[in-house]
Amino acid sequence: MDTSRGKSRSGGWPLYAALGILALLVAAILLVSVRGNRGHLVYALDDTYIAMAMAKNLSQHGVWGVTQYEFSPSSSSLLWPILLGATYRVLGPNEAAPLVWNLLFAVLLILFCNWRMEGQGVAPLYRFATLLVIVVSTPLATLIFVGLEHTLHALLTVVVADQAAGELARSKTESPRALPLPLLGSIVLLVSARYEGLFLVGLIGMFFAARRRWLSAAAVAAAAALPVLIYGVIARAHGGAFLPNPILLKASPLAGLLFIRQNGLLSEAGLRALAGLLGLRAYEGLLEAPHLLFLLGLALLLYVSRTGRVERRWDPGQVLVALFAGTLLLHIQFARTGWLYRYEAYLVTFGLLTLSLALPEVLAGSPHRTRGHGPAGRIVAVAVLAAFPAIALGFRGVAATVRVTQAMRNIYEQQYQMGLFLRDYYQRATITAHDIGAINYLADLRCIDVWGLANREVFERKLNGSLDRAVISRLSAGSAIAVMYDGYLAPLGGAPPSWIKVGSWTIPHNVVCREDTVSFYAVDPAQADGLAANLRSFGRTMPDDVVQLGRPVARERITAP
């Protein structure tokens, strides 16, 4: 008993070291950002504020929407606004909640990965190296300040995959029992956190079917379908689509079908869209994300090298590798990568943990092999192969840590200032806008969303390609002002002719906002002078490096102290 306790204490340093490094990264980013943003905690995406606005309205008004006035399917996550809403119900709306929840889930993710490796007897130094790479390259500190559900998604992914691999390792005769409730509950939470969880869960169901465990496959399908069906029924009852608007607007298969419909199947664009639906999208996506390409290649090599006998195909380690490779390919074909490294973050963590559990056996040599290279040769071969993903992941981690503070600065200088401006001068007014997160979290508005996340007609017209400035002009009638990106309006025919452009803000060193410059329009010409005066007054409090142009400032910029 005493000996095992001593070993546990001596083997705990990788966990503490990894947690310490994460804490240092989070503290450094927080310090730099808060000092640079006048003491404000600001997140790196406007999407974060969409979830916060929905949570605020859910907790205070019982409305699932970015405003308190109507239902809007504006979040791609079902669980995250509910979690924040429950927090706001107890503590009131606050900007710290996304940070605290993300920090908690990041810590739990590290704890789980360490526990899983320690349980398999992975050496402490190797555990530390794996945890360090997970912290830096996922990248966890960046995800914490993105402030969305991605750390929760990564945690639930590895938990579900690990539980499912253990269950799949049991044959039908060995395991006549039903699937454990923790696995089914984790599947419900995973799909609720992000719909991309369906990629992994779909593979798990297929694997159970391949093992002829039909009841288990049906239970997995039911658990995955439950949150989708519940949301779909509620959304349809409120006049929305069966799936959230962000998912349908960003879905690559839907975009491909739209291209084919608009350009014809035999056109160049139509043929390229068809090729994308048949696999070209995955190929191009892997070339654009070399870290995923290298992780996939290493996983496939490990899978082949560890399959010594037919019965080993269902070893938990083999199942994990297969689940990772399949999930990655499905994601790269049907979902996005990039955008502050968040979309594929769960794949990086999933892949690194899976490979860390498989590599030791390969390096030591399988007991089923009697021939082959010695341990030294295997170590050299694996080291050479691992160098490629290590380089890609290292660059990713460093770039993410540097970039996130600038992204937080961008959001503070553009969307956050927009929210403060509208709160001060247009509270409870009708506003036409493109970015709807920070403005609706900070202010109480009636919002016409020209991007389509919160407006049904815009959403439908974007899907069928019929959105133009005439539609925007009609929808914006009655708005006090419009806060828009001119680059977004240009392909639609430009701003409606009745709008009067009064001023604009331009931010420097933009890395995350859609455009550097946001423009302010008087939708009603009678509102132009009032808008000019409001912009002029608010300009006195703006950050110094935001460039204001137009009638309100006209060479009379007054900078904040």
Side-chain angles (χ1 to χ4, degrees):
M1 181 73 70
D2 293 337
T3 303
S4 80
R5 286 178 183 172
K7 287 182 180 178
S8 176
R9 284 195 296 268
S10 64
W13 71 265
L15 172 63
Y16 304 138
L19 291 174
I21 292 170
L22 176 63
L24 288 175
L25 287 173
V26 170
I29 294 172
L30 182 62
L31 179 63
V32 171
S33 176
V34 170
R35 290 182 63 181
N37 297 329
R38 297 181 177 180
H40 292 279
L41 171 59
V42 179
Y43 294 98
L45 288 174
D46 188 64
D47 290 5
T48 310
Y49 293 95
I50 292 178
M52 293 166 68
M54 294 180 69
K56 179 185 72 171
N57 293 315
L58 186 63
S59 66
Q60 295 182 340
H61 307 288
V63 176
W64 183 268
V66 291
T67 76
Q68 63 171 294
Y69 304 105
E70 61 180 336
F71 172 90
S72 65
S74 307
S75 172
S76 57
S77 173
L78 309 181
L79 184 57
W80 193 245
I82 293 174
L83 183 61
L84 291 181
T87 307
Y88 289 173
R89 182 72 175 177
V90 176
L91 302 176
N94 65 86
E95 295 174 349
L99 172 66
V100 173
W101 279 116
N102 268 283
L103 188 57
L104 173 62
F105 293 133
V107 169
L108 290 175
L109 176 61
I110 296 172
L111 287 170
F112 179 84
C113 292
N114 179 75
W115 170 78
R116 188 62 182 83
M117 288 187 289
E118 193 173 26
Q120 193 158 311
V122 176
L125 185 60
Y126 185 64
R127 268 191 290 132
F128 170 69
T130 302
L131 294 175
L132 176 62
V133 176
I134 288 175
V135 168
V136 173
S137 64
T138 295
L140 287 182
T142 296
L143 295 185
I144 288 170
F145 288 101
V146 166
L148 285 166
E149 66 281 350
H150 301 289
T151 54
L152 174 60
H153 182 209
L155 172 63
L156 291 170
T157 295
V158 294
V159 168
V160 167
D162 184 63
Q163 291 183 82
E167 287 295 322
L168 285 163
R170 303 172 183 268
S171 68
K172 184 177 180 180
T173 56
E174 291 174 331
S175 181
R177 64 189 177 93
L179 290 181
L181 289 178
L183 173 57
L184 296 176
S186 297
I187 288 173
V188 172
L189 292 176
L190 173 60
V191 176
S192 300
R194 283 193 72 82
Y195 277 68
E196 287 95 330
L198 290 169
F199 299 146
L200 171 61
V201 176
L203 288 172
I204 292 171
M206 291 173 59
F207 284 12
F208 275 118
R211 300 230 73 182
R212 299 184 182 277
R213 293 179 57 181
W214 307 112
L215 290 179
S216 296
V220 168
L226 182 63
V228 177
L229 290 174
I230 291 176
Y231 173 82
V233 170
I234 295 174
R236 292 298 296 168
H238 286 82
F242 193 80
L243 296 176
N245 287 4
I247 293 177
L248 294 173
L249 288 174
K250 298 175 183 177
S252 57
L254 200 60
L257 293 173
L258 180 60
F259 265 101
I260 294 174
R261 176 182 174 183
Q262 291 176 337
N263 298 282
L265 178 60
L266 299 181
S267 66
E268 180 180 351
L271 289 173
R272 182 172 181 81
L274 179 62
L277 294 174
L278 296 178
L280 180 63
R281 174 68 188 89
Y283 171 76
E284 293 177 337
L286 286 171
L287 294 181
E288 295 169 1
H291 54 291
L292 296 182
L293 175 62
F294 293 138
L295 285 176
L296 175 64
L298 189 55
L300 293 176
L301 286 173
L302 286 175
Y303 185 86
V304 173
S305 68
R306 297 175 78 246
T307 307
R309 295 180 179 180
V310 173
E311 62 267 21
R312 296 202 69 209
R313 294 175 184 173
W314 295 106
D315 283 356
Q318 286 293 83
V319 174
L320 270 179
V321 174
L323 288 175
F324 165 67
T327 302
L328 188 153
L329 289 172
L330 288 172
H331 180 101
I332 210 74
Q333 172 66 26
F334 297 110
R336 289 186 170 190
T337 60
W339 206 244
L340 274 184
Y341 313 93
R342 65 191 180 106
Y343 289 123
E344 74 274 20
Y346 78 105
L347 292 173
V348 173
T349 301
F350 186 11
L352 289 171
L353 177 61
T354 299
L355 297 178
S356 73
L357 297 174
L359 276 173
E361 180 184 321
V362 175
L363 296 178
S366 171
H368 298 285
R369 295 172 184 255
T370 57
R371 298 179 182 179
H373 299 292
R378 283 189 290 271
I379 291 174
V380 171
V382 170
V384 171
L385 291 173
F388 292 99
I391 293 172
L393 289 170
F395 174 80
R396 167 192 173 89
V398 173
T401 304
V402 172
R403 194 179 187 192
V404 70
T405 55
Q406 183 57 41
M408 295 160 76
R409 178 70 174 170
N410 293 157
I411 296 298
Y412 175 70
E413 292 187 332
Q414 191 177 91
Q415 281 85 355
Y416 201 87
Q417 297 302 314
M418 289 158 49
L420 295 177
F421 173 72
L422 294 175
R423 183 191 66 185
D424 289 350
Y425 298 99
Y426 294 94
Q427 188 80 321
R428 297 183 180 85
T430 300
I431 303 296
T432 297
H434 180 281
D435 277 340
I436 61 172
I439 64 173
N440 283 292
Y441 173 73
L442 293 169
D444 177 12
L445 306 169
R446 294 183 181 273
C447 189
I448 306 298
D449 170 28
V450 298
W451 178 247
L453 297 181
N455 185 279
R456 181 179 177 182
E457 182 174 351
V458 173
F459 164 74
E460 293 174 347
R461 286 184 174 274
K462 285 192 72 172
L463 290 185
N464 63 32
S466 63
L467 181 66
D468 56 25
R469 73 173 183 175
V471 174
I472 292 177
S473 178
R474 174 172 53 79
L475 291 175
S476 65
S479 296
I481 65 171
V483 187
M484 296 296 304
Y485 296 118
D486 291 342
Y488 176 76
L489 292 172
L492 305 177
S498 60
W499 291 9
I500 297 178
K501 186 173 180 178
V502 176
S504 65
W505 298 342
T506 300
I507 61 172
H509 313 299
N510 179 32
V511 299
V512 73
C513 298
R514 180 181 175 90
E515 296 178 26
D516 300 347
T517 300
V518 60
S519 298
F520 293 82
Y521 290 88
V523 175
D524 179 357
Q527 298 284 338
D529 290 339
L531 175 57
N534 293 337
L535 286 170
R536 181 185 183 87
S537 176
F538 188 78
R540 297 183 174 91
T541 65
M542 289 282 288
D544 294 344
D545 53 355
V546 178
V547 177
Q548 298 188 80
L549 298 176
R551 287 194 286 175
V553 288
R555 305 188 181 212
E556 293 184 36
R557 170 117 199 243
I558 302 176
T559 60

